[in-house]
Amino acid sequence: MNGRSLPASAPALIMVLALTGMLSGCSSLLDSDAPPLSEWWLEPVTPANPVDRGEQSLVLNLTVVPGLDSDRILNLGPQARLNHYAGAHWPEHLPEVLGSVLARSFEQGGWRSVRLGDRARGANECLLALETRSFYGRVNQENVTQRVEVRFDGTLDCGTVPQSVSARQEVSVMENRMGVIVAAFQTALGRSVEELTAAMAR
């Protein structure tokens, strides 16, 4: 050594250089291969054959089976494994998304008004209790989506004898891309609205 002492700032400088080296060596730990989060939208559907309900309003009580109450876009594998598409989300959890879309669709289908609730109130209201039993993509062993499945089952009660209503739709997915998969969900949902509207008109 030459006998000269280090300047007072040297320990801090050495620490900064050491941390810089550690961070550059660990940069792979800070990088992420996870896809960015993306939200996907579903539009309400105007039924092709709306039914004029006059002054009748509808109360929609929509539920989902266990496992489907998520904002993730889900898929189901061949061994009954429920999974989700990486980074792909609905704007809200599925009951809120479907409740809003179906309520607006039914309004366009001839009801005076549609509101979300748990029981009918008033002389001019009907109660549609609807359970979502399927709303997912079907994937094969290679995790390639083959189709989407949408299913609703429930009852319509207008003060007399409740009637059963249901809709079940499967739409093939021609390309394993998220935009194509969501478009298949939109098609299946639109067909379900048509099916439910026809069932409620009987």
Side-chain angles (χ1 to χ4, degrees):
M1 294 184 64
N2 57 15
R4 289 182 296 176
S5 60
L6 293 172
S9 60
L13 179 61
I14 292 171
M15 182 65 71
V16 169
L17 292 174
L19 287 172
T20 302
M22 289 172 62
L23 289 174
S24 62
C26 298
S27 61
S28 61
L29 298 177
L30 301 178
D31 295 334
S32 174
D33 292 329
L37 296 181
S38 57
E39 289 188 352
W40 296 87
W41 185 260
L42 293 172
E43 292 282 354
V45 179
T46 301
N49 299 299
V51 178
D52 185 3
R53 290 281 179 170
E55 293 300 308
Q56 260 188 336
S57 295
L58 183 68
V59 180
L60 174 61
N61 178 18
L62 181 76
T63 58
V64 301
V65 297
L68 298 186
D69 190 357
S70 172
D71 67 336
R72 294 178 181 272
I73 303 180
L74 302 175
N75 59 62
L76 189 64
Q79 282 79 43
R81 182 187 177 195
L82 192 63
N83 206 339
H84 61 271
Y85 296 100
H89 292 252
W90 302 119
E92 260 293 349
H93 281 221
L94 191 61
E96 286 75 23
V97 171
L98 291 180
S100 173
V101 172
L102 289 174
R104 287 177 286 159
S105 298
F106 293 146
E107 275 191 346
Q108 294 169 179
W111 295 90
R112 186 175 69 84
S113 65
V114 180
R115 65 179 176 85
L116 300 176
D118 58 0
R119 61 191 181 91
R121 295 175 184 171
N124 289 323
E125 286 189 325
C126 295
L127 170 65
L128 176 61
L130 205 59
E131 182 179 59
T132 309
R133 298 193 174 180
S134 303
F135 207 87
Y136 43 68
R138 277 279 189 179
V139 299
N140 60 17
Q141 294 282 3
E142 290 74 37
N143 282 325
V144 174
T145 303
Q146 305 292 293
R147 63 186 184 274
V148 301
E149 296 182 8
V150 172
R151 180 181 173 186
F152 300 100
D153 286 294
T155 57
L156 178 68
D157 184 356
C158 292
T160 54
V161 179
Q163 69 180 88
S164 297
V165 295
S166 64
R168 184 172 185 174
Q169 296 291 330
E170 296 184 2
V171 175
S172 298
V173 174
M174 308 310 295
E175 191 176 347
N176 197 44
R177 291 191 299 109
M178 205 62 229
V180 177
I181 294 167
V182 172
F185 274 112
Q186 180 70 61
T187 299
L189 183 59
R191 293 176 182 174
S192 296
V193 168
E194 296 283 3
E195 196 171 352
L196 291 168
T197 299
M200 289 190 289
R202 290 194 289 268

